[in-house]
mmCIF file of all heavy atoms in Angstrom:
data_model
loop_
_atom_site.group_PDB
_atom_site.id
_atom_site.type_symbol
_atom_site.label_atom_id
_atom_site.label_comp_id
_atom_site.label_asym_id
_atom_site.label_seq_id
_atom_site.Cartn_x
_atom_site.Cartn_y
_atom_site.Cartn_z
ATOM 1 N N ALA A 1 4.544 -2.828 -1.222
ATOM 2 C CA ALA A 1 4.763 -3.058 -2.642
ATOM 3 C C ALA A 1 3.874 -4.236 -3.062
ATOM 4 O O ALA A 1 3.527 -5.112 -2.248
ATOM 5 C CB ALA A 1 6.222 -3.259 -2.949
ATOM 6 N N ILE A 2 3.683 -4.293 -4.310
ATOM 7 C CA ILE A 2 2.991 -5.429 -4.959
ATOM 8 C C ILE A 2 3.656 -5.810 -6.229
ATOM 9 O O ILE A 2 3.974 -5.008 -7.068
ATOM 10 C CB ILE A 2 1.425 -5.038 -5.216
ATOM 11 C CG1 ILE A 2 0.614 -6.183 -5.635
ATOM 12 C CG2 ILE A 2 1.347 -3.830 -6.181
ATOM 13 C CD1 ILE A 2 -0.871 -5.954 -5.519
ATOM 14 N N SER A 3 3.842 -7.102 -6.331
ATOM 15 C CA SER A 3 4.651 -7.646 -7.533
ATOM 16 C C SER A 3 3.661 -7.797 -8.751
ATOM 17 O O SER A 3 2.508 -7.611 -8.688
ATOM 18 C CB SER A 3 5.262 -8.949 -7.124
ATOM 19 O OG SER A 3 4.284 -9.982 -7.013
ATOM 20 N N ARG A 4 4.332 -8.231 -9.801
ATOM 21 C CA ARG A 4 3.578 -8.507 -10.980
ATOM 22 C C ARG A 4 2.568 -9.608 -10.813
ATOM 23 O O ARG A 4 1.488 -9.687 -11.449
ATOM 24 C CB ARG A 4 4.529 -8.800 -12.200
ATOM 25 C CG ARG A 4 5.406 -7.667 -12.582
ATOM 26 C CD ARG A 4 6.294 -8.060 -13.731
ATOM 27 N NE ARG A 4 7.082 -6.930 -14.321
ATOM 28 C CZ ARG A 4 8.272 -6.654 -13.875
ATOM 29 N NH1 ARG A 4 8.957 -7.464 -13.049
ATOM 30 N NH2 ARG A 4 8.942 -5.676 -14.440
ATOM 31 N N SER A 5 2.894 -10.558 -9.924
ATOM 32 C CA SER A 5 1.979 -11.663 -9.617
ATOM 33 C C SER A 5 1.013 -11.280 -8.420
ATOM 34 O O SER A 5 0.340 -12.214 -7.964
ATOM 35 C CB SER A 5 2.760 -12.898 -9.276
ATOM 36 O OG SER A 5 3.633 -12.694 -8.159
ATOM 37 N N ASN A 6 1.129 -10.087 -7.990
ATOM 38 C CA ASN A 6 0.248 -9.562 -6.960
ATOM 39 C C ASN A 6 0.575 -10.015 -5.572
ATOM 40 O O ASN A 6 -0.248 -10.002 -4.685
ATOM 41 C CB ASN A 6 -1.255 -9.859 -7.238
ATOM 42 C CG ASN A 6 -1.808 -8.887 -8.297
ATOM 43 O OD1 ASN A 6 -1.395 -7.808 -8.444
ATOM 44 N ND2 ASN A 6 -2.802 -9.451 -9.015
ATOM 45 N N SER A 7 1.815 -10.418 -5.374
ATOM 46 C CA SER A 7 2.318 -10.756 -4.050
ATOM 47 C C SER A 7 2.452 -9.417 -3.395
ATOM 48 O O SER A 7 2.946 -8.467 -3.954
ATOM 49 C CB SER A 7 3.637 -11.513 -4.113
ATOM 50 O OG SER A 7 3.400 -12.805 -4.614
ATOM 51 N N GLN A 8 2.211 -9.375 -2.058
ATOM 52 C CA GLN A 8 2.174 -8.171 -1.323
ATOM 53 C C GLN A 8 3.314 -8.117 -0.224
ATOM 54 O O GLN A 8 3.574 -9.194 0.365
ATOM 55 C CB GLN A 8 0.848 -7.855 -0.699
ATOM 56 C CG GLN A 8 -0.302 -7.787 -1.657
ATOM 57 C CD GLN A 8 -1.648 -8.090 -0.998
ATOM 58 O OE1 GLN A 8 -1.916 -7.468 0.044
ATOM 59 N NE2 GLN A 8 -2.440 -8.985 -1.564
ATOM 60 N N TYR A 9 3.903 -7.000 -0.069
ATOM 61 C CA TYR A 9 5.056 -6.880 0.849
ATOM 62 C C TYR A 9 4.808 -5.598 1.677
ATOM 63 O O TYR A 9 4.382 -4.590 1.098
ATOM 64 C CB TYR A 9 6.352 -6.816 0.085
ATOM 65 C CG TYR A 9 6.596 -7.976 -0.826
ATOM 66 C CD1 TYR A 9 6.040 -7.969 -2.097
ATOM 67 C CD2 TYR A 9 7.313 -9.078 -0.400
ATOM 68 C CE1 TYR A 9 6.199 -9.072 -2.960
ATOM 69 C CE2 TYR A 9 7.488 -10.165 -1.280
ATOM 70 C CZ TYR A 9 6.962 -10.183 -2.491
ATOM 71 O OH TYR A 9 7.093 -11.238 -3.376
ATOM 72 N N TYR A 10 5.093 -5.699 2.903
ATOM 73 C CA TYR A 10 4.926 -4.508 3.842
ATOM 74 C C TYR A 10 6.103 -4.286 4.747
ATOM 75 O O TYR A 10 6.810 -5.234 5.161
ATOM 76 C CB TYR A 10 3.665 -4.812 4.622
ATOM 77 C CG TYR A 10 2.418 -4.997 3.887
ATOM 78 C CD1 TYR A 10 1.940 -6.297 3.544
ATOM 79 C CD2 TYR A 10 1.658 -3.858 3.429
ATOM 80 C CE1 TYR A 10 0.843 -6.480 2.805
ATOM 81 C CE2 TYR A 10 0.493 -4.064 2.667
ATOM 82 C CZ TYR A 10 0.055 -5.346 2.370
ATOM 83 O OH TYR A 10 -1.076 -5.573 1.627
ATOM 84 N N ALA A 11 6.278 -3.055 5.085
ATOM 85 C CA ALA A 11 7.185 -2.728 6.147
ATOM 86 C C ALA A 11 6.626 -3.214 7.404
ATOM 87 O O ALA A 11 5.371 -3.237 7.605
ATOM 88 C CB ALA A 11 7.403 -1.229 6.170
ATOM 89 N N ASP A 12 7.495 -3.615 8.354
ATOM 90 C CA ASP A 12 7.003 -4.080 9.652
ATOM 91 C C ASP A 12 6.139 -3.071 10.387
ATOM 92 O O ASP A 12 5.153 -3.446 11.110
ATOM 93 C CB ASP A 12 8.177 -4.449 10.522
ATOM 94 C CG ASP A 12 8.869 -5.730 10.073
ATOM 95 O OD1 ASP A 12 8.317 -6.503 9.371
ATOM 96 O OD2 ASP A 12 10.090 -5.923 10.502
ATOM 97 N N SER A 13 6.421 -1.847 10.180
ATOM 98 C CA SER A 13 5.632 -0.783 10.843
ATOM 99 C C SER A 13 4.193 -0.667 10.485
ATOM 100 O O SER A 13 3.428 -0.101 11.190
ATOM 101 C CB SER A 13 6.384 0.594 10.694
ATOM 102 O OG SER A 13 6.506 0.937 9.345
ATOM 103 N N VAL A 14 3.916 -1.176 9.258
ATOM 104 C CA VAL A 14 2.523 -1.089 8.793
ATOM 105 C C VAL A 14 1.825 -2.404 8.656
ATOM 106 O O VAL A 14 0.602 -2.466 8.316
ATOM 107 C CB VAL A 14 2.475 -0.254 7.509
ATOM 108 C CG1 VAL A 14 3.130 1.072 7.655
ATOM 109 C CG2 VAL A 14 3.034 -1.066 6.338
ATOM 110 N N LYS A 15 2.526 -3.483 8.817
ATOM 111 C CA LYS A 15 2.018 -4.808 8.560
ATOM 112 C C LYS A 15 0.860 -5.072 9.513
ATOM 113 O O LYS A 15 0.885 -4.787 10.709
ATOM 114 C CB LYS A 15 3.137 -5.837 8.819
ATOM 115 C CG LYS A 15 2.768 -7.254 8.361
ATOM 116 C CD LYS A 15 4.009 -8.224 8.452
ATOM 117 C CE LYS A 15 5.187 -7.675 7.622
ATOM 118 N NZ LYS A 15 6.394 -8.560 7.696
ATOM 119 N N GLY A 16 -0.231 -5.495 8.924
ATOM 120 C CA GLY A 16 -1.438 -5.770 9.668
ATOM 121 C C GLY A 16 -2.380 -4.599 9.692
ATOM 122 O O GLY A 16 -3.512 -4.782 10.058
ATOM 123 N N ARG A 17 -1.852 -3.412 9.298
ATOM 124 C CA ARG A 17 -2.689 -2.243 9.328
ATOM 125 C C ARG A 17 -2.994 -1.749 7.848
ATOM 126 O O ARG A 17 -4.074 -1.168 7.639
ATOM 127 C CB ARG A 17 -2.033 -1.068 10.114
ATOM 128 C CG ARG A 17 -1.823 -1.470 11.572
ATOM 129 C CD ARG A 17 -1.391 -0.225 12.358
ATOM 130 N NE ARG A 17 -0.078 0.322 11.885
ATOM 131 C CZ ARG A 17 0.156 1.485 11.413
ATOM 132 N NH1 ARG A 17 -0.812 2.357 11.301
ATOM 133 N NH2 ARG A 17 1.335 1.823 11.016
ATOM 134 N N PHE A 18 -2.043 -1.867 7.043
ATOM 135 C CA PHE A 18 -2.171 -1.316 5.652
ATOM 136 C C PHE A 18 -2.349 -2.533 4.660
ATOM 137 O O PHE A 18 -1.819 -3.638 4.886
ATOM 138 C CB PHE A 18 -0.883 -0.595 5.231
ATOM 139 C CG PHE A 18 -0.710 0.728 5.952
ATOM 140 C CD1 PHE A 18 -1.486 1.097 7.029
ATOM 141 C CD2 PHE A 18 0.259 1.598 5.517
ATOM 142 C CE1 PHE A 18 -1.304 2.324 7.699
ATOM 143 C CE2 PHE A 18 0.438 2.762 6.147
ATOM 144 C CZ PHE A 18 -0.276 3.201 7.229
ATOM 145 N N THR A 19 -3.001 -2.261 3.606
ATOM 146 C CA THR A 19 -3.194 -3.246 2.507
ATOM 147 C C THR A 19 -2.952 -2.578 1.226
ATOM 148 O O THR A 19 -3.574 -1.528 0.861
ATOM 149 C CB THR A 19 -4.612 -3.836 2.583
ATOM 150 O OG1 THR A 19 -4.830 -4.448 3.764
ATOM 151 C CG2 THR A 19 -4.744 -4.843 1.445
ATOM 152 N N ILE A 20 -2.092 -3.168 0.402
ATOM 153 C CA ILE A 20 -1.837 -2.657 -0.904
ATOM 154 C C ILE A 20 -2.582 -3.488 -1.917
ATOM 155 O O ILE A 20 -2.708 -4.778 -1.782
ATOM 156 C CB ILE A 20 -0.329 -2.650 -1.262
ATOM 157 C CG1 ILE A 20 -0.095 -1.924 -2.617
ATOM 158 C CG2 ILE A 20 0.315 -4.045 -1.226
ATOM 159 C CD1 ILE A 20 1.411 -1.645 -2.874
ATOM 160 N N SER A 21 -3.113 -2.917 -2.993
ATOM 161 C CA SER A 21 -3.836 -3.605 -3.976
ATOM 162 C C SER A 21 -3.747 -2.881 -5.293
ATOM 163 O O SER A 21 -3.365 -1.719 -5.362
ATOM 164 C CB SER A 21 -5.305 -3.922 -3.569
ATOM 165 O OG SER A 21 -5.974 -2.694 -3.400
ATOM 166 N N ARG A 22 -4.113 -3.539 -6.360
ATOM 167 C CA ARG A 22 -4.225 -2.874 -7.684
ATOM 168 C C ARG A 22 -5.378 -3.337 -8.442
ATOM 169 O O ARG A 22 -5.972 -4.398 -8.237
ATOM 170 C CB ARG A 22 -2.938 -3.163 -8.463
ATOM 171 C CG ARG A 22 -2.835 -4.591 -8.995
ATOM 172 C CD ARG A 22 -1.825 -4.691 -10.161
ATOM 173 N NE ARG A 22 -0.466 -4.844 -9.678
ATOM 174 C CZ ARG A 22 0.593 -4.334 -10.373
ATOM 175 N NH1 ARG A 22 0.438 -3.645 -11.484
ATOM 176 N NH2 ARG A 22 1.767 -4.559 -9.806
ATOM 177 N N ASP A 23 -5.875 -2.447 -9.283
ATOM 178 C CA ASP A 23 -6.988 -2.718 -10.159
ATOM 179 C C ASP A 23 -6.394 -2.511 -11.574
ATOM 180 O O ASP A 23 -6.292 -1.357 -12.024
ATOM 181 C CB ASP A 23 -8.170 -1.826 -9.858
ATOM 182 C CG ASP A 23 -9.360 -2.223 -10.710
ATOM 183 O OD1 ASP A 23 -9.160 -2.684 -11.919
ATOM 184 O OD2 ASP A 23 -10.516 -2.104 -10.219
ATOM 185 N N THR A 24 -5.997 -3.480 -12.291
ATOM 186 C CA THR A 24 -5.338 -3.367 -13.525
ATOM 187 C C THR A 24 -6.293 -2.771 -14.565
ATOM 188 O O THR A 24 -5.796 -1.871 -15.362
ATOM 189 C CB THR A 24 -4.908 -4.760 -14.054
ATOM 190 O OG1 THR A 24 -4.020 -5.388 -13.096
ATOM 191 C CG2 THR A 24 -4.199 -4.648 -15.335
ATOM 192 N N ALA A 25 -7.525 -3.109 -14.569
ATOM 193 C CA ALA A 25 -8.441 -2.563 -15.551
ATOM 194 C C ALA A 25 -8.587 -1.062 -15.399
ATOM 195 O O ALA A 25 -8.745 -0.310 -16.392
ATOM 196 C CB ALA A 25 -9.807 -3.212 -15.426
ATOM 197 N N LYS A 26 -8.520 -0.608 -14.150
ATOM 198 C CA LYS A 26 -8.714 0.869 -13.944
ATOM 199 C C LYS A 26 -7.360 1.553 -13.884
ATOM 200 O O LYS A 26 -7.353 2.808 -13.710
ATOM 201 C CB LYS A 26 -9.409 1.039 -12.570
ATOM 202 C CG LYS A 26 -10.939 0.605 -12.617
ATOM 203 C CD LYS A 26 -11.538 0.880 -11.250
ATOM 204 C CE LYS A 26 -13.001 0.476 -11.276
ATOM 205 N NZ LYS A 26 -13.632 0.719 -9.968
ATOM 206 N N ARG A 27 -6.262 0.900 -14.067
ATOM 207 C CA ARG A 27 -4.924 1.395 -13.934
ATOM 208 C C ARG A 27 -4.755 2.139 -12.617
ATOM 209 O O ARG A 27 -4.256 3.256 -12.606
ATOM 210 C CB ARG A 27 -4.676 2.327 -15.094
ATOM 211 C CG ARG A 27 -4.571 1.681 -16.430
ATOM 212 C CD ARG A 27 -4.397 2.664 -17.557
ATOM 213 N NE ARG A 27 -3.935 1.972 -18.773
ATOM 214 C CZ ARG A 27 -2.679 1.950 -19.212
ATOM 215 N NH1 ARG A 27 -1.765 2.506 -18.508
ATOM 216 N NH2 ARG A 27 -2.401 1.345 -20.316
ATOM 217 N N MET A 28 -5.180 1.462 -11.534
ATOM 218 C CA MET A 28 -5.097 2.101 -10.253
ATOM 219 C C MET A 28 -4.310 1.243 -9.201
ATOM 220 O O MET A 28 -4.360 0.016 -9.267
ATOM 221 C CB MET A 28 -6.552 2.297 -9.678
ATOM 222 C CG MET A 28 -7.398 3.236 -10.498
ATOM 223 S SD MET A 28 -6.954 5.005 -10.280
ATOM 224 C CE MET A 28 -7.620 5.242 -8.634
ATOM 225 N N LEU A 29 -3.606 1.893 -8.387
ATOM 226 C CA LEU A 29 -2.987 1.253 -7.255
ATOM 227 C C LEU A 29 -3.602 1.904 -6.029
ATOM 228 O O LEU A 29 -3.833 3.118 -6.013
ATOM 229 C CB LEU A 29 -1.477 1.574 -7.309
ATOM 230 C CG LEU A 29 -0.657 0.985 -6.092
ATOM 231 C CD1 LEU A 29 -0.540 -0.472 -6.195
ATOM 232 C CD2 LEU A 29 0.700 1.650 -6.066
ATOM 233 N N TYR A 30 -3.782 1.052 -4.990
ATOM 234 C CA TYR A 30 -4.366 1.575 -3.779
ATOM 235 C C TYR A 30 -3.559 1.179 -2.537
ATOM 236 O O TYR A 30 -2.776 0.261 -2.526
ATOM 237 C CB TYR A 30 -5.769 0.952 -3.512
ATOM 238 C CG TYR A 30 -6.728 1.203 -4.714
ATOM 239 C CD1 TYR A 30 -6.960 0.121 -5.631
ATOM 240 C CD2 TYR A 30 -7.349 2.406 -4.885
ATOM 241 C CE1 TYR A 30 -7.790 0.313 -6.686
ATOM 242 C CE2 TYR A 30 -8.245 2.581 -5.954
ATOM 243 C CZ TYR A 30 -8.469 1.522 -6.863
ATOM 244 O OH TYR A 30 -9.254 1.723 -7.898
ATOM 245 N N LEU A 31 -3.711 2.007 -1.533
ATOM 246 C CA LEU A 31 -3.157 1.685 -0.187
ATOM 247 C C LEU A 31 -4.260 1.995 0.795
ATOM 248 O O LEU A 31 -4.598 3.154 1.058
ATOM 249 C CB LEU A 31 -1.939 2.501 0.105
ATOM 250 C CG LEU A 31 -1.201 2.214 1.438
ATOM 251 C CD1 LEU A 31 -0.602 0.834 1.359
ATOM 252 C CD2 LEU A 31 -0.156 3.224 1.796
ATOM 253 N N GLN A 32 -4.806 0.902 1.307
ATOM 254 C CA GLN A 32 -5.807 1.039 2.371
ATOM 255 C C GLN A 32 -5.089 1.109 3.669
ATOM 256 O O GLN A 32 -4.412 0.171 4.067
ATOM 257 C CB GLN A 32 -6.858 -0.103 2.325
ATOM 258 C CG GLN A 32 -7.887 -0.036 3.385
ATOM 259 C CD GLN A 32 -8.795 1.197 3.166
ATOM 260 O OE1 GLN A 32 -9.281 1.336 2.075
ATOM 261 N NE2 GLN A 32 -9.080 1.797 4.211
ATOM 262 N N MET A 33 -5.245 2.213 4.384
ATOM 263 C CA MET A 33 -4.575 2.378 5.640
ATOM 264 C C MET A 33 -5.570 2.391 6.784
ATOM 265 O O MET A 33 -6.583 3.148 6.797
ATOM 266 C CB MET A 33 -3.781 3.728 5.697
ATOM 267 C CG MET A 33 -2.819 3.828 4.517
ATOM 268 S SD MET A 33 -1.841 5.385 4.572
ATOM 269 C CE MET A 33 -3.126 6.553 4.302
ATOM 270 N N GLY A 34 -5.307 1.524 7.784
ATOM 271 C CA GLY A 34 -6.235 1.474 8.934
ATOM 272 C C GLY A 34 -5.436 1.661 10.255
ATOM 273 O O GLY A 34 -4.179 1.549 10.224
ATOM 274 N N SER A 35 -6.132 1.938 11.274
ATOM 275 C CA SER A 35 -5.530 2.126 12.623
ATOM 276 C C SER A 35 -4.360 3.084 12.469
ATOM 277 O O SER A 35 -3.256 2.857 13.015
ATOM 278 C CB SER A 35 -5.030 0.779 13.192
ATOM 279 O OG SER A 35 -6.133 -0.169 13.354
ATOM 280 N N LEU A 36 -4.629 4.190 11.886
ATOM 281 C CA LEU A 36 -3.500 5.119 11.653
ATOM 282 C C LEU A 36 -3.005 5.755 12.952
ATOM 283 O O LEU A 36 -3.735 5.962 13.948
ATOM 284 C CB LEU A 36 -4.077 6.310 10.704
ATOM 285 C CG LEU A 36 -4.153 5.842 9.275
ATOM 286 C CD1 LEU A 36 -4.993 6.877 8.482
ATOM 287 C CD2 LEU A 36 -2.772 5.823 8.618
ATOM 288 N N LYS A 37 -1.769 5.959 12.908
ATOM 289 C CA LYS A 37 -1.036 6.530 14.056
ATOM 290 C C LYS A 37 -0.317 7.830 13.700
ATOM 291 O O LYS A 37 -0.054 8.134 12.455
ATOM 292 C CB LYS A 37 0.021 5.519 14.538
ATOM 293 C CG LYS A 37 -0.410 4.139 14.782
ATOM 294 C CD LYS A 37 0.710 3.207 15.070
ATOM 295 C CE LYS A 37 0.245 1.782 15.406
ATOM 296 N NZ LYS A 37 1.399 0.843 15.699
ATOM 297 N N PRO A 38 -0.029 8.671 14.629
ATOM 298 C CA PRO A 38 0.602 9.920 14.362
ATOM 299 C C PRO A 38 1.928 9.696 13.551
ATOM 300 O O PRO A 38 2.345 10.484 12.735
ATOM 301 C CB PRO A 38 0.851 10.552 15.703
ATOM 302 C CG PRO A 38 -0.260 10.087 16.500
ATOM 303 C CD PRO A 38 -0.481 8.657 16.087
ATOM 304 N N GLU A 39 2.634 8.615 13.895
ATOM 305 C CA GLU A 39 3.907 8.356 13.178
ATOM 306 C C GLU A 39 3.732 7.929 11.692
ATOM 307 O O GLU A 39 4.715 7.805 11.016
ATOM 308 C CB GLU A 39 4.679 7.237 13.917
ATOM 309 C CG GLU A 39 3.880 6.002 14.272
ATOM 310 C CD GLU A 39 3.380 6.035 15.719
ATOM 311 O OE1 GLU A 39 2.768 7.092 16.139
ATOM 312 O OE2 GLU A 39 3.526 5.060 16.435
ATOM 313 N N ASP A 40 2.419 7.758 11.289
ATOM 314 C CA ASP A 40 2.205 7.516 9.889
ATOM 315 C C ASP A 40 2.133 8.792 9.085
ATOM 316 O O ASP A 40 2.114 8.838 7.840
ATOM 317 C CB ASP A 40 0.859 6.809 9.704
ATOM 318 C CG ASP A 40 0.882 5.401 10.267
ATOM 319 O OD1 ASP A 40 1.908 4.652 10.056
ATOM 320 O OD2 ASP A 40 -0.126 4.956 10.866
ATOM 321 N N THR A 41 2.192 9.934 9.778
ATOM 322 C CA THR A 41 2.230 11.220 9.106
ATOM 323 C C THR A 41 3.439 11.374 8.124
ATOM 324 O O THR A 41 4.597 11.226 8.609
ATOM 325 C CB THR A 41 2.186 12.350 10.188
ATOM 326 O OG1 THR A 41 0.979 12.316 10.866
ATOM 327 C CG2 THR A 41 2.332 13.700 9.440
ATOM 328 N N ALA A 42 3.153 11.599 6.905
ATOM 329 C CA ALA A 42 4.155 11.702 5.991
ATOM 330 C C ALA A 42 3.592 12.053 4.582
ATOM 331 O O ALA A 42 2.418 12.000 4.392
ATOM 332 C CB ALA A 42 4.973 10.421 5.819
ATOM 333 N N VAL A 43 4.498 12.383 3.659
ATOM 334 C CA VAL A 43 4.066 12.471 2.236
ATOM 335 C C VAL A 43 4.196 11.086 1.626
ATOM 336 O O VAL A 43 5.272 10.487 1.838
ATOM 337 C CB VAL A 43 4.920 13.464 1.476
ATOM 338 C CG1 VAL A 43 4.540 13.449 -0.002
ATOM 339 C CG2 VAL A 43 4.750 14.891 2.026
ATOM 340 N N TYR A 44 3.124 10.569 1.127
ATOM 341 C CA TYR A 44 3.111 9.280 0.531
ATOM 342 C C TYR A 44 3.295 9.294 -0.984
ATOM 343 O O TYR A 44 2.610 10.043 -1.691
ATOM 344 C CB TYR A 44 1.884 8.509 0.948
ATOM 345 C CG TYR A 44 1.813 8.085 2.341
ATOM 346 C CD1 TYR A 44 1.715 8.943 3.391
ATOM 347 C CD2 TYR A 44 1.903 6.679 2.636
ATOM 348 C CE1 TYR A 44 1.731 8.500 4.690
ATOM 349 C CE2 TYR A 44 1.904 6.223 3.928
ATOM 350 C CZ TYR A 44 1.810 7.138 4.980
ATOM 351 O OH TYR A 44 1.850 6.747 6.278
ATOM 352 N N TYR A 45 4.234 8.460 -1.451
ATOM 353 C CA TYR A 45 4.568 8.427 -2.868
ATOM 354 C C TYR A 45 4.256 7.065 -3.472
ATOM 355 O O TYR A 45 4.497 6.065 -2.902
ATOM 356 C CB TYR A 45 6.028 8.727 -3.116
ATOM 357 C CG TYR A 45 6.519 10.110 -2.689
ATOM 358 C CD1 TYR A 45 6.958 10.249 -1.365
ATOM 359 C CD2 TYR A 45 6.480 11.145 -3.531
ATOM 360 C CE1 TYR A 45 7.427 11.548 -0.975
ATOM 361 C CE2 TYR A 45 6.917 12.424 -3.119
ATOM 362 C CZ TYR A 45 7.371 12.594 -1.848
ATOM 363 O OH TYR A 45 7.752 13.838 -1.436
ATOM 364 N N CYS A 46 3.600 7.138 -4.702
ATOM 365 C CA CYS A 46 3.359 5.975 -5.459
ATOM 366 C C CYS A 46 4.592 5.787 -6.340
ATOM 367 O O CYS A 46 5.154 6.815 -6.866
ATOM 368 C CB CYS A 46 2.133 6.157 -6.301
ATOM 369 S SG CYS A 46 1.816 4.907 -7.528
ATOM 370 N N ALA A 47 5.050 4.611 -6.551
ATOM 371 C CA ALA A 47 6.257 4.310 -7.424
ATOM 372 C C ALA A 47 6.040 3.101 -8.175
ATOM 373 O O ALA A 47 5.275 2.222 -7.851
ATOM 374 C CB ALA A 47 7.482 4.263 -6.530
ATOM 375 N N ALA A 48 6.771 3.026 -9.325
ATOM 376 C CA ALA A 48 6.596 1.895 -10.198
ATOM 377 C C ALA A 48 7.930 1.610 -10.977
ATOM 378 O O ALA A 48 8.723 2.557 -11.151
ATOM 379 C CB ALA A 48 5.465 2.060 -11.178
#
């Protein structure tokens, strides 16, 4: 998750591998996922 002040929070399972960010001008939210594991398999949802 990312706060209004752009503080970032992560589940322990993805910490160090995933990065959340936003581009306000583009009205976009991103999740950069690295070192993916089979246990990362899921439907991913954006929420606000």
Side-chain angles (χ1 to χ4, degrees):
I2 187 164
S3 72
R4 294 181 175 97
S5 61
N6 284 332
S7 294
Q8 302 159 48
Y9 305 84
Y10 301 95
D12 288 341
S13 60
V14 307
K15 194 172 299 181
R17 298 189 297 121
F18 291 10
T19 301
I20 188 171
S21 62
R22 72 162 83 211
D23 187 327
T24 303
K26 294 181 179 179
R27 289 176 167 264
M28 299 284 287
L29 177 74
Y30 305 101
L31 184 67
Q32 180 66 49
M33 305 183 293
S35 301
L36 284 163
K37 306 173 181 179
E39 49 263 48
D40 294 318
T41 295
V43 176
Y44 283 71
Y45 297 91
C46 173

